[in-house]
Amino acid sequence: MAPAVRLRLLASCRLFSALSGTVPRCRRGLRGLSTLSSTLGSGAGEDEIERIRREFEDAKRNYLSIPAAIKDMPKMDPQGIYVNKNVKLDDLQVYGFDYDYTLSHYSDHLQCLIYDLAKKHLVNELKYPESCLQYDYDSSFPVRGLYYDKLKGCLLKLDFFGSIEPDGCFFGRRKLSSTEIKELYGTRHIGRDQARQLVGLMDVFCFSEACLIADIVQHFVDAKLEFDAPYVYEDVNQAIQHVHRSGLVHRKVLSEPQKFLLKNSQVFRFLKTLREKGKKLFLLTNSPFYFVDGGMSYLLEDQHFDGNSWRELFDVVIAQANKPSFYNSDHPFRVYDTEKDTLAFTAVDKFLPNEVYYHGCLKSFLQITKWRGPEVIYFGDHLFSDLRGPSKAGWRTAAVIRELEDEIGIQNGDSYRFQQAKLGIIHDLLGKVHATVVSTEKGQVYRTLLDELNAERRQCRSGMRDLFNSSFGATFLTDTGKESSFAYHIHQYADIYTSKLENFLSYAPESWLHPPHDIKIMPHNAKVPASLFSTS
C-alpha cells in the first residue's frame, strides 16, 4: 500500500476515534498504528521525498513544453461583459449613470494634478514641512482596492478572504517582510476588530491619495520625525477632499479639457441607442453641475444629436448627490438654477424635463419616479459610493472598471500563463511534500527540497506580479493568481462588470447575461490547470 494512502487511512482512523470515542476497525492492510509508525520510520517517507524530487526535476525539464500547451487555451475578451448574477437586458427599462470614470474618463494628468494640489494644501494650509513638495505622483506605485491602516500607517493589499498579501504591505514606500507583518499584526489575516481601522481606497481618484499617504509617511521616516499615523491619513484625506470641494480640480480640468478629458464617441452612441429603444436614462453624480456640463459639452461637441443640449439625453439629471449618503438619508431634492447658480426653495414632487436637481435621497427618488427593483440598472466605478447602496435597494448594478481591459490582456498573454502553470505545478508538489512524514535523520533532504520548491514559488509569484504592478501586482488578483479583496467587493456589489460602457453595444438588447456554470468566483479569471502539465 502506498505511503500516502496509509497516511490518509491513519488520519481517518484517528479522526473517527476522536469523534466516537471508540477504536475503529481499519482495513486489513493496516496491522495497527504501531506497525504503520514503524513502517514510516523505516524510510517510506524518505522514498516518497525522493520520488517527489524526481517529479520536480522532470517538471523543470518539461517547463519548455508549457508555452506550447497553453497556446490552445481559450482567451478571455478584454471588451467583454462579465456576470456575477443573471441579468436580462430586455427587462431593464431604466439606466442610471455616474459621471466621473463612468461617462467620462481622464488622462493620467488628472492624478498628477490632484496629487500636486493636495500636496500644496498640506504644506501651505496644514503646515507640513516644505520638503514634502519635492515628491511627485508615481503612477507605477498604487493600484485600486488597497486599504490604509489608520493606526499602524500601512498600505495593505488583501486577498479575497481578508488576509494581507505577503508582498502587499508597505510602510511608506518600503515593503515590509513577512516577519515584520507578523510582528505588527500577529497574523496575516485581518480580523473584524482590526478591519475597523482600515480605510478602503476603491475608486480611481484614490490613486493619488494612496501615493501621497505613502510619500508623507516615508518623508517622516527619512527625516526621523515622530508622527502619528492617524493624523497622516486625516490630513491627507482632508487635503484631497479640499481639492475636490473647493473646485480647484474642476476649474483646472475645464480650463484645459483636451489635456485631461478623453473623448469617446462610442459612449454617446450607447446613450443614444438606449434612448432610441425607449429606455429611461438618469445621471446621478457627486460632481457639481458646472463641471459635468462643461465636461459633457466638450466630450460631445463633435457629435450630431437632436436638440441643443446633452441634457436631453437624460430624463433626470442630479448633481452633488452626496453619495453614498444619498441612499440612506432623507435629504430633499432642490431645483438648481443653471443661469443664476442658485437653489430654489420650492418642494420637488416631480422631475421636469431639462431641469437640474441637487442633493436628494433614494427614498424621494423612488417616490417621484416609481422606478423600482430589477427594472433599474446603475453604472458606476466606486464600489462603495456608487454600487453598494443601489445593490441593497434592489437595483441591478454594473461596475465600470477601466483596469479590467489591461489586466485581461496580460492574463491572456503567454508570459502570465507560463508562470501560472509553473506555480500550479509547484503548489501540487509542495502539497505532496507537506503530506509526507520523514524521520529526524533524513530531515535535511526534506528541508532542502522544501526550500527549493518555495524558492521556485517565490520566483513565479514575483514574475506574475511584475507583469501588472511591481509594488502591488494586479487589481483583481493576488500574487498566487487567486482573487483579491477588490474582486470580493466586485463579486458582492456588482451584478455585472466591464471595462467601459460601449462594450454593451456588442450585445443584443434582448440578451440574457448569466455567469458561466463552471465559474466559482470571478468569471473573467481563466486559470491554467496544473493537471495539463502533470509529470506523474
Side-chain angles (χ1 to χ4, degrees):
M1 183 177 295
V5 175
R6 291 193 182 101
L7 286 173
R8 287 196 294 269
L9 287 171
L10 174 59
S12 299
C13 293
R14 287 175 173 169
L15 177 61
F16 183 87
S17 299
L19 293 175
S20 65
T22 61
V23 178
R25 294 183 177 180
C26 299
R27 299 176 63 180
R28 292 182 179 179
L30 295 178
R31 298 179 179 175
L33 300 184
S34 60
T35 304
L36 178 58
S37 300
S38 175
T39 302
L40 289 174
S42 65
E46 286 75 22
D47 292 341
E48 181 71 6
I49 289 295
E50 289 302 319
R51 189 187 66 78
I52 298 172
R53 158 69 67 184
R54 292 192 297 271
E55 195 173 336
F56 180 36
E57 297 300 328
D58 288 342
K60 287 191 287 186
R61 285 191 292 270
N62 291 331
Y63 281 164
L64 295 177
S65 67
I66 292 178
I70 62 180
K71 289 290 185 184
D72 296 329
M73 289 197 63
K75 297 183 184 297
M76 307 307 291
D77 183 5
Q79 286 83 42
I81 296 174
Y82 294 94
V83 188
N84 291 322
K85 300 175 185 176
N86 291 336
V87 175
K88 292 183 178 180
L89 294 184
D90 56 353
D91 287 345
L92 301 175
Q93 302 304 318
V94 183
Y95 284 71
F97 301 91
D98 183 34
Y99 175 68
D100 295 299
Y101 287 105
T102 302
L103 289 174
S104 66
H105 289 279
Y106 301 90
S107 69
D108 292 338
H109 294 295
L110 182 62
Q111 297 297 336
C112 297
L113 174 64
I114 296 172
Y115 181 97
D116 289 340
L117 291 173
K119 176 181 64 178
K120 292 175 182 177
H121 183 80
L122 287 175
V123 173
N124 298 333
E125 302 298 329
L126 302 182
K127 306 307 178 186
Y128 272 58
E130 288 193 10
S131 50
C132 292
L133 296 174
Q134 66 182 300
Y135 294 100
D136 295 313
Y137 175 68
D138 179 6
S139 61
S140 66
F141 176 67
V143 297
R144 194 192 319 213
L146 300 178
Y147 292 84
Y148 180 68
D149 188 332
K150 292 183 293 183
L151 294 184
K152 296 182 172 64
C154 294
L155 272 175
L156 310 172
K157 181 181 177 184
L158 305 182
D159 66 15
F160 196 87
F161 301 102
S163 294
I164 303 171
E165 273 283 88
D167 291 319
C169 180
F170 280 74
F171 186 72
R173 296 299 290 270
R174 185 176 72 86
K175 182 185 296 185
L176 300 187
S177 66
S178 296
T179 301
E180 289 174 312
I181 292 173
K182 289 182 179 180
E183 288 175 353
L184 272 176
Y185 292 95
T187 174
R188 287 200 300 112
H189 183 71
I190 296 295
R192 182 173 298 178
D193 291 339
Q194 290 177 315
R196 294 190 181 99
Q197 67 199 36
L198 302 184
V199 179
L201 306 175
M202 292 293 159
D203 69 344
V204 182
F205 285 127
C206 290
F207 286 1
S208 49
E209 184 174 4
C211 191
L212 187 55
I213 287 173
D215 287 343
I216 294 299
V217 169
Q218 191 61 50
H219 177 270
F220 282 124
V221 171
D222 292 343
K224 296 180 172 57
L225 298 173
E226 292 187 5
F227 69 98
D228 195 11
Y231 295 153
V232 171
Y233 170 74
E234 290 176 7
D235 291 345
V236 171
N237 183 256
Q238 177 184 331
I240 293 288
Q241 294 299 323
H242 169 77
V243 165
H244 288 285
R245 292 171 180 169
S246 66
L248 291 172
V249 167
H250 301 145
R251 290 192 291 271
K252 183 64 175 176
V253 169
L254 294 181
S255 69
E256 298 180 88
Q258 69 282 356
K259 178 179 180 180
F260 296 100
L261 281 164
L262 303 176
K263 283 190 174 183
N264 185 353
S265 62
Q266 294 303 303
V267 172
F268 167 74
R269 181 183 161 205
F270 175 55
L271 297 178
K272 189 175 180 181
T273 299
L274 292 175
R275 294 291 293 182
E276 292 171 349
K277 293 174 182 175
K279 307 297 184 182
K280 300 290 186 180
L281 274 64
F282 69 93
L283 176 64
L284 178 67
T285 176
N286 284 352
S287 293
F289 174 75
Y290 77 88
F291 180 63
V292 178
D293 184 45
M296 289 293 286
S297 298
Y298 170 76
L299 293 171
L300 300 180
E301 66 180 1
D302 300 327
Q303 307 301 317
H304 302 285
F305 56 94
D306 299 329
N308 300 317
S309 169
W310 62 267
R311 279 188 277 158
E312 295 187 7
L313 290 168
F314 298 92
D315 296 273
V316 184
V317 174
I318 303 168
Q320 288 201 333
N322 299 318
K323 296 176 293 182
S325 64
F326 175 89
Y327 299 112
N328 51 31
S329 73
D330 290 316
H331 293 159
F333 282 102
R334 305 282 297 274
V335 177
Y336 175 72
D337 189 321
T338 60
E339 299 295 331
K340 299 179 181 179
D341 187 27
T342 58
L343 295 175
F345 295 99
T346 55
V348 175
D349 56 8
K350 60 182 176 180
F351 293 132
L352 300 175
N354 295 320
E355 291 282 14
V356 175
Y357 300 91
Y358 265 32
H359 312 318
C361 63
L362 179 63
K363 179 181 177 181
S364 297
F365 183 83
L366 296 178
Q367 289 173 345
I368 295 172
T369 63
K370 309 301 182 185
W371 297 336
R372 298 188 182 279
E375 70 172 355
V376 183
I377 186 169
Y378 186 70
F379 293 79
D381 72 294
H382 197 301
L383 302 181
F384 296 158
S385 292
D386 291 334
L387 302 184
R388 180 162 55 184
S391 176
K392 293 182 177 180
W395 289 358
R396 312 316 299 266
T397 54
V400 178
I401 309 297
R402 201 70 171 184
E403 304 95 305
L404 181 66
E405 191 165 325
D406 289 337
E407 294 209 356
I408 290 178
I410 292 172
Q411 291 178 55
N412 283 340
D414 289 349
S415 296
Y416 178 83
R417 293 187 169 197
F418 174 58
Q419 296 293 344
Q420 190 184 39
K422 285 176 60 178
L423 186 63
I425 295 171
I426 298 303
H427 278 168
D428 282 354
L429 293 174
L430 277 168
K432 294 176 182 178
V433 171
H434 285 301
T436 303
V437 178
V438 296
S439 65
T440 304
E441 294 79 6
K442 300 291 185 178
Q444 185 57 45
V445 177
Y446 169 88
R447 287 190 292 272
T448 299
L449 178 57
L450 194 62
D451 289 344
E452 290 182 33
L453 288 170
N454 280 324
E456 190 84 9
R457 180 175 64 170
R458 287 192 295 270
Q459 185 180 32
C460 290
R461 292 178 62 168
S462 177
M464 292 167 68
R465 181 184 65 249
D466 292 348
L467 288 170
F468 298 94
N469 175 292
S470 58
S471 298
F472 292 99
T475 302
F476 286 88
L477 299 170
T478 66
D479 294 348
T480 62
K482 299 184 183 299
E483 284 75 14
S484 65
S485 176
F486 180 77
Y488 168 80
H489 292 301
I490 287 281
H491 189 72
Q492 188 173 20
Y493 297 124
D495 294 340
I496 53 180
Y497 62 100
T498 190
S499 61
K500 48 186 184 287
L501 288 175
E502 58 266 31
N503 293 340
F504 280 82
L505 290 169
S506 300
Y507 290 76
E510 64 277 3
S511 295
W512 178 23
L513 307 177
H514 56 86
H517 71 279
D518 57 343
I519 296 299
K520 295 181 179 179
I521 304 181
M522 300 303 288
H524 79 275
N525 288 339
K527 295 180 173 58
V528 180
S531 59
L532 291 180
F533 319 105
S534 176
T535 59
S536 58

